[in-house]
């Protein structure tokens, strides 16, 4: 009886060993997975992947020109005298502007009377628009290029303009276009427009002439030649105003 009890005790003890080992083994695997196994690595990787990536701040293009010249001093006095004889005001008439560093215009006009030979009328205007780089609107040069295209189109489609001729002009700023047309008012007006982009500035120079009381019609080729020369002078004035 005693031997039977001892044998039974040994059988129970042996039967219990695999159960204990199995539990120990599961516990060991679980601890290992939590500390350095695949699950632990996944948690670490997941944390890195979910971190927000900072977007780089776009670098704004630095514009070439930070200001405009005084509008009525864009052209030299001798230029005004040659293009607008007998100008009413040789100093010009400046248009109002809320910001002369960004938009400026000056105009001159004059009637040159020559007795019985009649009279010659001339009108000249220089308009300038400067564009800064803007985070949402784009670089200054790009904005100026867009305005340049609009100004060319405006000159081509001016009210009452007939016989419109458009031609690119080389050697003036970064890009330039001449627009020649005629308009009938009391007499024929011969219009010459030169639109120029120099970096981030757009210059529109308008020059027209008319004849009265028997005066011979203006030489349109000469008008255009003078307008192109004046546009080159305006481009130089913009560069000169921005010299350090």
């Amino acid at each position: 009886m005693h031997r039977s009890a001892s044998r039974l005790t040994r059988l129970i003890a042996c039967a219990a060993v695999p159960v204990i080992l199995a539990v120990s083994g599961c516990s060991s695997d679980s601890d290992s997975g939590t500390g350095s196994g695949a699950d632990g690595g996944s948690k670490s990787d997941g944390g890195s992947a979910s971190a927000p990536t900072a977007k780089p701040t776009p670098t704004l293009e630095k514009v070439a020109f930070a200001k405009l010249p005084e509008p009525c001093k864009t052209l030299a006095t001798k230029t005004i005298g040659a293009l607008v004889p007998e100008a009413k005001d040789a100093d010009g008439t400046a248009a109002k502007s809320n910001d002369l560093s960004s938009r400026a215009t000056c105009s001159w006009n004059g009637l040159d009377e020559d007795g019985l030979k009649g009279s010659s009328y001339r009108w000249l205007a220089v308009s300038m628009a400067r564009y800064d780089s803007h985070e949402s609107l784009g670089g200054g040069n790009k904005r100026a290029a867009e305005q340049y295209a609009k100004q060319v189109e405006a000159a081509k489609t001016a009210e009452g303009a007939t016989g419109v001729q458009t031609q690119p002009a080389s050697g003036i700023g970064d890009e330039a276009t001449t627009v020649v047309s005629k308009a009938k008012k009391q007499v024929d007006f011969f219009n010459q427009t030169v639109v120029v982009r120099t970096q981030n500035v757009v210059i529109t120079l308008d020059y027209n002439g008319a004849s009265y009381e028997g005066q011979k019609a203006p030489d349109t080729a000469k008008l255009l030649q003078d307008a192109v020369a004046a546009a080159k002078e305006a481009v130089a004035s913009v560069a000169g105003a921005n010299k350090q």
Side-chain angles (χ1 to χ4, degrees):
M1 180 68 180
H2 178 71
R3 286 195 301 271
S4 297
S6 298
R7 184 182 178 195
L8 181 59
T9 300
R10 287 197 301 273
L11 288 174
I12 292 172
C14 290
V17 170
V19 175
I20 295 172
L21 291 177
V23 172
S24 298
C26 290
S27 174
S28 176
D29 287 345
S30 175
D31 290 342
S32 174
T34 302
S36 60
D39 288 347
S42 296
K43 289 177 182 178
S44 176
D45 291 343
S48 294
S50 62
T53 302
K55 292 183 179 180
T57 303
T59 302
L60 288 175
E61 168 190 79
K62 184 178 180 180
V63 296
F65 302 127
K67 60 182 179 179
L68 296 174
E70 291 184 45
C72 293
K73 293 184 179 180
T74 303
L75 303 178
T77 302
K78 65 178 182 179
T79 301
I80 301 304
L83 271 60
V84 190
E86 302 298 326
K88 286 183 179 180
D89 186 353
D91 292 331
T93 302
K96 292 183 179 180
S97 173
N98 293 328
D99 183 4
L100 286 173
S101 69
S102 296
R103 292 186 180 277
T105 298
C106 189
S107 63
W108 300 261
N109 70 86
L111 183 65
D112 185 12
E113 298 178 300
D114 193 10
L116 297 176
K117 292 183 180 180
S119 304
S120 295
Y121 175 79
R122 297 290 184 271
W123 182 81
L124 172 67
V126 179
S127 297
M128 297 170 288
R130 189 186 65 82
Y131 296 87
D132 285 316
S133 293
H134 192 281
E135 192 170 316
S136 60
L137 299 177
N141 284 11
K142 172 180 172 291
R143 297 177 65 200
E146 292 171 350
Q147 182 62 24
Y148 165 80
K150 291 178 181 178
Q151 288 297 101
V152 172
E153 188 62 26
K156 290 165 57 178
T157 58
E159 184 178 356
T162 61
V164 178
Q165 296 180 9
T166 305
Q167 188 174 347
S170 60
I172 316 176
D174 294 294
E175 52 185 335
T177 299
T178 62
V179 182
V180 177
S181 65
K182 185 169 73 171
K184 184 72 172 180
K185 297 180 182 178
Q186 293 177 340
V187 294
D188 288 331
F189 276 74
F190 298 87
N191 306 311
Q192 327 293 314
T193 299
V194 185
V195 184
V196 184
R197 180 183 70 83
T198 174
Q199 301 278 11
N200 59 309
V201 172
V202 177
I203 300 169
T204 303
L205 186 139
D206 292 301
Y207 184 45
N208 66 51
S211 297
Y212 293 92
E213 301 171 347
Q215 177 68 267
K216 187 171 70 172
D219 182 344
T220 54
K222 181 66 166 59
L223 288 178
L224 181 58
Q225 180 183 350
D226 288 343
V228 168
K232 289 181 179 179
E233 189 175 328
V235 169
S237 290
V238 171
N242 286 271
K243 285 184 178 179
Q244 297 296 328

